[in-house]
Amino acid sequence: MNIRLIIFSGIMTALVGAVIGLAATKIGQRNFNQLEYEGQYYQDLHKKYALIGASLGFALGVGQQCIRELKAERNRDLGQQNK
């Protein structure tokens, strides 16, 4: 398995997940420039959405690339067995 490719895939999808998380915080607001949240938890929510999106993106990217690597390895093994 190519560990560098797996980590790279995880980082790229983490970046996409962070952007989607930040977009989700902006989509839910009526006025983009003024936060209408009162509690401290909700005022820092945009930071948590980016972190959650990045974490999920990293996990999905690593998982998907691991499946691709395992599938390629299985196909190589099956090709060698047929000879």
Side-chain angles (χ1 to χ4, degrees), residues 44-62:
D44 295 333
L45 192 60
H46 63 281
K47 295 176 186 175
K48 292 180 177 112
Y49 274 0
L51 182 62
I52 291 169
S55 301
L56 289 175
F58 185 80
L60 288 174
V62 166

Side-chain angles (χ1 to χ4, degrees), residues 8-77:
F8 177 75
S9 177
I11 290 171
M12 289 296 115
T13 54
L15 291 174
V16 171
V19 169
I20 291 172
L22 288 174
T25 61
K26 296 295 183 183
I27 290 172
Q29 296 176 359
R30 292 183 183 170
N31 185 359
F32 292 129
N33 296 325
Q34 181 181 4
L35 294 174
E36 296 182 10
Y37 305 121
E38 294 178 8
Q40 183 64 31
Y41 176 79
Y42 293 109
Q43 289 178 354
D44 295 333
L45 192 60
H46 63 281
K47 295 176 186 175
K48 292 180 177 112
Y49 274 0
L51 182 62
I52 291 169
S55 301
L56 289 175
F58 185 80
L60 288 174
V62 166
Q64 183 181 18
Q65 191 60 37
C66 282
I67 290 172
R68 287 180 183 166
E69 292 287 326
L70 289 172
K71 185 177 177 184
E73 186 176 322
R74 184 191 66 189
N75 289 341
R76 283 191 301 267
D77 290 344

